[in-house]
Amino acid sequence: MSQAHEVRSTAVPLRLRSGVVLAITSVIGLLMLAWPLLLDVAPDAERVDPPFLFLLLLPVILAVVLAEMSEGGMDARVLAVLGVLSAVNAVLRLVSAGTAGLELVFFLLILGGRVFGAGFGFVLGCTSLFASALMTAGVGPWLPFQMLVAAWVGMGAGLLPRQVRGRGEIALLAAYGIISAYLYGLLMNLQGWPFMAGIQVPGQDSTEISYMPGADVLDNLHHFVVYTLLTSTGGWDTGRAITNALAIVLLGPAVLVTLRRAARKARIEAP
């Protein structure tokens, strides 16, 4: 593909101001995800509540980021492409249902971020998970976290080396699909871990995977890693990783050609 037709990250450009807002949001989101490791709780606590005030702020922060990134950078053509890919992703998630980690939504998210750039990938991750949640009745307190982590997946795909092409590009995207699948599961487990595994209360028998109020960060981190390995890594996350890799290897070349052709026709490319 010639330099004149090389699709850049201009679909949703990351200017300095929007990049700073995105970076701040990512840091805040990571802190919200890691609240079980950061919250100071009394050792004898029998109930641990997450910082709900901050959880309520996350959708607002995401809305501000999307508005900031779209200001002056998303015209009707970009919105049309974004709407089509979000709708397709929502349908893919509906039919795959995530059973045993079989989720087809991420492979198209990765390819979309690759073709249209990091900014577009971030927005596509948010809109895809939001649309799919509406279709699958999956709206809940976990949705903003799913949107944020999926947005990171799409953004990361847009930040991969641009000069890689051909089989090397497919191999790179497949490897990224595997890594991002495990990271997605890890981060989503973290925010809900105390409720899924229970809370260790002094004087009672408990497993080595429970959240320990007032314990050292490293101790709780060790319990969380064991919990993730036992409940998620070998099942859901591995299924998601295999699905991503196979979908990218088998369908990636044709989908990349289609997306790049659509980008050229819509003139979503570098001037």
Side-chain angles (χ1 to χ4, degrees):
M1 184 177 294
S2 65
Q3 184 69 22
H5 293 290
E6 175 69 21
V7 179
R8 303 293 185 183
S9 57
T10 54
V12 183
L14 285 178
R15 299 182 178 88
L16 178 60
R17 189 176 69 176
S18 58
V20 171
V21 172
L22 179 57
I24 294 174
T25 301
S26 296
V27 172
I28 294 174
L30 187 60
L31 293 176
M32 291 180 180
L33 286 165
W35 73 266
L37 301 177
L38 304 176
L39 195 63
D40 187 15
V41 182
D44 58 347
E46 297 184 4
R47 176 183 174 88
V48 178
D49 293 324
F52 285 109
L53 177 60
F54 293 101
L55 300 185
L56 293 175
L57 289 177
L58 183 55
V60 179
I61 294 173
L62 285 176
V64 171
V65 172
L66 295 178
E68 174 64 31
M69 294 175 64
S70 64
E71 183 179 355
M74 292 180 64
D75 57 17
R77 296 167 298 183
V78 176
L79 288 175
V81 174
L82 178 64
V84 170
L85 292 181
S86 299
V88 172
N89 259 341
V91 173
L92 288 176
R93 196 178 187 203
L94 177 64
V95 298
S96 58
T99 304
L102 300 178
E103 294 181 290
L104 295 174
V105 64
F106 291 99
F107 102 93
L108 185 57
L109 171 59
I110 292 172
L111 297 181
R114 172 65 175 175
V115 171
F116 296 103
F120 185 91
F122 186 93
V123 178
L124 180 61
C126 290
T127 55
S128 295
L129 269 292
F130 181 75
S132 65
L134 295 180
M135 293 184 64
T136 60
V139 178
W142 55 83
L143 178 58
F145 294 107
Q146 290 179 332
M147 292 170 57
L148 180 62
V149 180
W152 287 340
V153 172
M155 181 178 66
L159 296 175
L160 294 174
R162 308 292 299 181
Q163 66 272 18
V164 182
R165 284 291 185 268
R167 293 183 179 179
E169 181 180 31
I170 297 300
L172 176 65
L173 293 175
Y176 177 77
I178 294 173
I179 295 173
S180 62
Y182 285 108
L183 290 178
Y184 178 88
L186 181 75
L187 292 174
M188 289 307 303
N189 286 341
L190 183 57
Q191 56 88 24
W193 161 50
F195 308 106
M196 300 298 292
I199 301 172
Q200 185 178 46
V201 179
Q204 297 184 11
D205 293 331
S206 59
T207 66
E208 288 296 318
I209 65 174
S210 298
Y211 176 70
M212 298 171 56
D216 185 80
V217 173
L218 293 179
D219 291 336
N220 269 328
L221 183 60
H222 169 72
H223 284 210
F224 170 70
V225 171
V226 175
Y227 163 77
T228 297
L229 291 175
L230 292 177
T231 63
S232 179
T233 302
W236 294 87
D237 298 343
T238 298
R240 186 184 300 112
I242 293 175
T243 303
N244 286 350
L246 288 178
I248 290 173
V249 170
L250 297 177
L251 303 176
V255 175
L256 284 173
V257 170
T258 301
L259 291 179
R260 283 172 173 146
R261 183 181 296 119
R264 290 195 300 271
K265 288 184 178 180
R267 297 182 182 179
I268 305 174
E269 56 189 351

